[in-house]
Structure formats: structure tokens, C-alpha cells
Amino acid sequence: MSATVETSPVAAAPRATPKRRRTGGFWRRVARHVMRDKLALLCTVILALIALSAIFAPWIAPADPYKTSMMRRLLPPLSPGYILGTDELGRDMLSRLLYGGRVSLAMGISPVILATLIGGALGVTAGYFGRHVNMAIMRVVDVFYAFPSVLLAVAMAGVLGAGLFNSLISLTLVFIPPIARVAEAVTTQVRNQDYVEAARATGASAPRIIVQHVLANVTGPIMTYASSLVSIAIIISSGLSFLGLGAAPPIADWGLMLNTLRQAIYVAPINAVLPGVMIFAASVSFNLLSDSLRTAMDVRA
Amino acid sequence: MTDTHPSDTDPRDRGGPRQPILSVRDLKKYFPLRGPLGTINAHVQAVDGVSFDVMKGETLGVVGESGCGKSTTARLLMRLIEPDAGSVVLDGDPIGHGGITLRELRRNMQMVFQDSYASLNPRHTATEEISFGLRVHGIPAAKAREQALSSLRLVGLDPTLFADRYPHEMSGGQRQRVNVARGIALNPRLLILDESVSALDKSVQAQVLNLLAELKQRLNLTYIFISHDLNVVHHVSDRVLVMYLGKVVELGPVDRIYRAAAHPYTRALFASRLSMNPALRVEAVPLSGDPPNPVRPPSGCRFRTRCAMAEAICAAAEPMLSSVADAHQAACHAVIPGSGHSQAEALAHAA
């Protein structure tokens, strides 16, 4: 009652609100927030550089990444003609790192995208319909979730056999359960909001409500979570390659390079560490960027 | 949208002015309480055999303590939750079973929620939010937008300023206006206002109430006005329905209920109201304790555990909603002649 006097001038004249431009859509606000965050901006630049160098590897690589030379094995970085030195078979490190980015980024991003689509669909369905549907979907998901992710990926890749495509499938399977869980949790939350009730009160069908009301409000959190999985995907896929279950030898892949250069760690430590540095840079950048996305997507922030 | 029908020539009217727009009979909803293994251990008797009529053009106020089943009743009427039993008849047409479809029910009946923020999708602009329902009912996008804009105008929001605003860019009062605009966009005949002004501060509340009164006239609406604010209910209602623990305990014209309530619960509820006149303020708490657990309500009259007039008959038999005066009904043994309650006997002798 006592607040009446203070608040009335604003409330009494809803028409008199000062004129101002639309602040733009949700995604534009998120982009603006990320751009203002210096660390996130740096990560974006690093990732963009890695992505661009991977995409344009055939044009910018100074040498053929597969051309071996027994004469020039394990040259240290800054050797003439080989800026980052050579590996244990005398192949140009820089070229191999550039080409390796293609496989590592693809193996980091594509399973996460696939898992987001599948796991997101499962989780949203479970969350929206609740009860028995939720039970059926989430308990199956829980069974997969019970295994440690690396173990599950290794087991899957082991069953399916070595190869990039199989490791992509096993990584997708590994990421479906956590994404489904996050999707289910946010959907359950959104589903009980009054605006979903109001939408149901108009007589709208479930698919329509999901597409127009639920998805708009759950994609943010799901994508934020998924972006944090990219770094894990890069690490696990490198791990699979390291174990010989992912990329097969001549292919340039950061994980595989780490494996083959392992024996040379006392002879040429810098060369041996370089692929690890790349994995580290890419995964940390993805992680920090996803953190920034999370704060940017908090509507009330 | 903007056409204004005098109440007697509304083309949507079928049964004439004497036929209730909404007839609710014996509505029931028991929510199951599940144990850890999913077995049903007990039921919360949220709404237990509620019956009432809503007449065309009236405002029916619904009052009661928190948890008495007011909002559940509203949700049951909208079919946002399925009733366990009971029937709802809209202007002579039953819902389902050969009557009108749920879709038609929802075009004729809309609801405005309490929380103006939570009831608007944070990712939708005002226009998107309002036109959603119109799109659902098959109106093409361009026309739906046009109608949404005219709804905004009807609730006093300038479309040039508010059409593309997101909920977080509006004040509480403005958001609630958007909610009202969404409610009336489908051109319904009945609007359920579930605590729609309770969360607004007093001055905004008054504006929204005035807006609602104006819209009621212009659009020939009928309101079910759910609130715990007895002063507001007194101000807006034609008739008042009092609920206690999932049951209707009293129903009657607003003046009778506020002047001469028959049910002890209604009297206690009104006594708990703060008076503007210091001389009328009471020190003693008229109603003590919490309502009983709706999982195991008391036998007989549900109010007897807190009632000063409770007698043996109150525990033995449940009082039916009975007429105490013209258009005034109450469910209390003390006012039902021949019920066996001592006060009822005195009442019978006096008559």
C-alpha cells in the first residue's frame, strides 16, 4: 500500500514511456555480450584462426604433410625450411598440425552436433510429455550415462572397429545421454511456465507449442552445454586416435601425432608437445567461449 | 475485434440471457500422491464436487484461502488439467461427448494468469505472443498480426511503441495488459482472471481493473474473477463464490455476501479484512490455524475443525449447498432448517 505513491508516476502513464529503438533479438544481444567479453573474444579469434587454417590447409601449408624424409627427422623448430621442425618420419610439423586441425575440429564438432540433435530431441520429448514418456526415455539414457564417457567411447570404438567414422559414431553415442539430460531438465522447467499453460489454453497442439514456445527457450541452455562438450570431444577423439582406435597412421591428426611423437619426447621434446598444445588451445578456447555464452544467455542478467 | 455488441444482440449468444454461459456440475479433481515406487498412496482432494453457474455478462468473484482450490478450478474449466469427474456446459453445449470441441471451448473461454512475467514467453514480442493463439485458430499470419495490433490498442498500449517489445522491456502493468490483450484476441465470451491483478501495485491494479471493466462492456464479456483480495472482489463482482478446501461453501449476490454472510467461514474471512475505520478493527484473530490437510479432510463439514459453531451434526453429515435467501446459498448446518444443528432449530422457530 505504501509503495503506491512512489510507483504511480511510471505506472500511471504506460503510453508515456520514452520512445526507443528495439534492442534487437535475443541472439543479437548474446553476440553483443560475447563481443564485450575480452577473454571470449580472444577465444573466438583463436578458434577462428584454427578453423580457417584447417579449412585452408592445402593452400597455406608450406609442405606436403605426408612427404617423409629420413634425412630430416626430428628437426627442432625454427630449422631452415621447417618453421616448427619435423616429426619422427621427417614430415613438416607445421603442415601436419594445419591438416591435423581438420580432423580434430571435425571430430570435435560433428559428434556434438549430431548428439545435440538426437539427444536434444529425446530430452525435449521426455521433458515436455513427462510421466511415462519421460520414464521410458530417461531411464534408457541413464543406463548409458552410468558408464564413464571415455570408457564408453573406447568400448564402442573397440566394438565397431578402428576408423574415423566409427569413432565419430561412438563419440555421438557418448554425448547423447548428457545432452538429453540437460534438455530434459530445461524442458521440464519451461514446460511448467505459465506461458506454456497459456499457449495450451489457446488450444494449440503439442508439436506447435514445442516448436514455438519450448524450443526458443531451451536451445540456449542446450547449445551452451553442447559447446562445452566440444573440447571434451576433441580430447576423447584425440585419445581414441592415440589408442589407435580413431585416425589410422598416415593421416595427420593431433591425437595420433601425440602418440607417434611420444617416443621422441626425450630427443625432441618441443616437437612432441606441439600437437598437445594445439589440443589444449582448441579445447580451452571452446570451454571459455561456452562459459561466456552461458552468462550471455541468462535473460535476466 | 472492435465491434461492440449491445449485450442482447450478440450473434454468439444461443441460449438467451437466462441460460447460464457456463454451468459447472460436480467438478472433481483428486491429485494422486505417489510413493517412491510410483504407487498411489493417497489423493489430495483439490476440488471436490464443485457446482455453480455463471450468468451472461456477470462478474463472478471467487474467494478463499490459498490452497482452497480456486486456481485448480480455473485450470479445470480451461481443461489445462483433466477433471476426474463432473460436467461443464458452455451456453447449453456440453464439452465433448457430442457437444462442442475443446478447441471451441478455448476460443470462447480464455484465461489471464497472475504472474505477468512468467505468463509471457521471454523470446516473443508482444505481437508474436498475442497472434500465437490466432494462428492456432487458423488465421493467416498477416491478419493475425493486424488483429494482435488492434488487441493492443484495445488494452491501451500504443502498437507503435509496444508491438515489438519483449516482456523484459515492459513494466508489470504493461505486461499484464499484453496478457489481457492475448486473452481477448480470440474474441472469447468468458475470461477467467486468475489473480490477474494481485501481483500489481495498487495504482496499476486500479488501472487494469478499470480497463477490464471497460473491455467487459465493449466486448460483451463475462468474467470469473479469482482473487484473495476481498476489497477488489467487492468492487468488481456481481456475485461471489466462497471456496473452502475444495468445496463451495457459499454463493450469492455480492452485497448479501458482504453484508449478511451465512457461512461462518465467510464471516471469519471477512472479519480478517483490515478496515479503513480504526473503530471497526478487531484485535482477535477471527480464524486461527491452517486449513486441514486436503489429503484427509475432516468428516462431515470440512470447516468444523476451525468453526466456533461446530456441533455433533457437523462431524456426522456433510452440509449440502442450500438456499438461505433469494439467490443466496450456503453449505452450513447452522443455516439449513431441520439439519439438527441447534442454531438451525432456532432459525426454524423464528421463521
Side-chain angles (χ1 to χ4, degrees), chain A residues 54-70:
Chain A
I55 293 166
F56 296 107
W59 291 276
I60 56 174
D64 181 347
Y66 299 110
K67 188 169 166 284
T68 57
S69 167
M70 286 302 136

Side-chain angles (χ1 to χ4, degrees), chain B residues 223-235:
Chain B
Y223 289 154
I224 295 179
F225 191 94
I226 299 171
S227 181
H228 56 253
D229 187 332
L230 296 166
N231 293 316
V232 170
V233 169
H234 192 185
H235 177 68

Side-chain angles (χ1 to χ4, degrees), chain A residues 192-269:
Chain A
N192 293 318
Q193 295 282 321
D194 283 349
Y195 60 81
V196 175
E197 290 260 277
R200 292 209 296 132
T202 63
S205 62
R208 189 167 200 142
I209 295 173
I210 290 177
V211 170
Q212 294 198 23
H213 284 277
V214 176
L215 280 189
N217 289 287
V218 301
T219 38
I222 295 175
M223 279 173 61
T224 309
Y225 181 69
S227 68
S228 75
L229 290 179
V230 173
S231 61
I232 301 174
I234 293 176
I235 292 168
I236 298 182
S237 85
S238 300
L240 288 178
S241 300
F242 183 89
L243 294 174
L245 291 167
I251 295 178
D253 170 87
W254 293 341
L256 193 61
M257 288 165 72
L258 208 55
N259 183 15
T260 52
L261 281 165
R262 184 171 44 120
Q263 290 110 329
I265 192 139
Y266 297 113
V267 189

Side-chain angles (χ1 to χ4, degrees), chain B residues 126-127 130 147-157 159 162-163 178 181:
Chain B
T127 322
I130 299 166
Q147 289 190 14
L149 294 181
S150 75
S151 281
L152 273 179
R153 235 171 267 125
L154 269 176
V155 296
L157 293 177
F162 291 95
V178 172

Side-chain angles (χ1 to χ4, degrees), chain B residues 24-300:
Chain B
V24 181
R25 289 290 170 271
D26 212 23
L27 203 59
K28 272 199 181 93
K29 183 68 193 180
Y30 289 5
F31 291 110
L33 289 179
R34 286 175 198 278
L37 297 174
T39 50
I40 297 170
N41 292 336
H43 286 95
V44 176
Q45 305 183 7
V47 173
D48 194 11
V50 164
S51 303
F52 62 91
D53 286 342
V54 187
M55 302 310 292
K56 282 166 189 155
E58 77 167 344
T59 297
L60 177 70
V62 180
V63 296
E65 281 167 294
S66 306
C68 71
K70 295 174 304 213
S71 289
T72 307
T73 307
R75 271 154 223 260
L76 287 172
L77 294 180
M78 282 305 301
R79 287 291 175 100
L80 288 173
I81 44 183
E82 276 302 306
D84 293 327
S87 70
V88 175
V89 175
L90 184 91
D91 201 3
D93 289 321
I95 316 304
H97 312 300
I100 59 167
T101 60
L102 259 183
R103 221 176 143 79
E104 280 175 87
L105 169 80
R106 279 156 176 173
R107 211 184 53 231
N108 283 298
M109 194 155 96
Q110 280 291 303
M111 182 162 167
V112 179
F113 297 82
Q114 171 174 11
D115 187 338
S116 68
Y117 197 90
S119 52
L120 292 175
N121 188 333
R123 304 285 158 77
H124 282 188
T125 63
T127 322
E128 283 166 358
E129 190 67 49
I130 299 166
S131 53
F132 176 78
L134 296 162
R135 298 295 314 280
V136 168
H137 286 270
I139 294 167
K143 190 144 183 282
R145 183 178 162 84
E146 208 174 283
Q147 289 190 14
L149 294 181
S150 75
S151 281
L152 273 179
R153 235 171 267 125
L154 269 176
V155 296
L157 293 177
D158 183 354
T160 55
L161 287 178
F162 291 95
D164 297 321
R165 284 215 190 169
Y166 289 91
H168 68 267
E169 300 174 321
M170 290 184 273
S171 72
Q174 290 161 354
R175 280 198 295 265
Q176 203 55 306
R177 281 169 192 263
V178 172
N179 278 315
V180 173
R182 177 178 60 194
I184 60 170
L186 285 167
N187 199 15
R189 301 176 66 190
L190 181 69
L191 204 56
I192 300 174
L193 303 160
D194 186 5
E195 302 274 14
S196 299
V197 297
S198 309
L200 304 173
D201 64 68
K202 286 292 165 190
S203 59
V204 185
Q205 197 173 72
Q207 293 169 36
V208 175
L209 286 173
N210 288 339
L211 169 76
L212 288 170
E214 188 194 316
L215 289 173
K216 190 178 171 216
Q217 285 296 315
R218 283 177 78 166
L219 306 174
N220 192 17
L221 286 163
T222 302
Y223 289 154
I224 295 179
F225 191 94
I226 299 171
S227 181
H228 56 253
D229 187 332
L230 296 166
N231 293 316
V232 170
V233 169
H234 192 185
H235 177 68
V236 302
S237 308
D238 298 308
R239 288 195 305 145
V240 176
L241 184 151
V242 185
M243 284 187 76
Y244 183 77
L245 220 62
K247 293 222 179 251
V248 177
V249 294
E250 189 159 11
L251 174 63
V254 65
D255 290 332
R256 281 228 27 124
I257 298 275
Y258 277 71
R259 253 186 320 106
H263 199 284
Y265 174 66
T266 316
R267 288 206 293 271
L269 197 63
F270 288 154
S272 67
R273 194 155 52 130
L274 293 175
S275 175
M276 291 300 278
N277 181 355
L280 294 176
R281 286 188 188 151
V282 283
E283 293 283 319
V285 182
L287 200 55
S288 57
D290 291 324
N293 187 350
V295 175
R296 272 179 302 279
S299 65

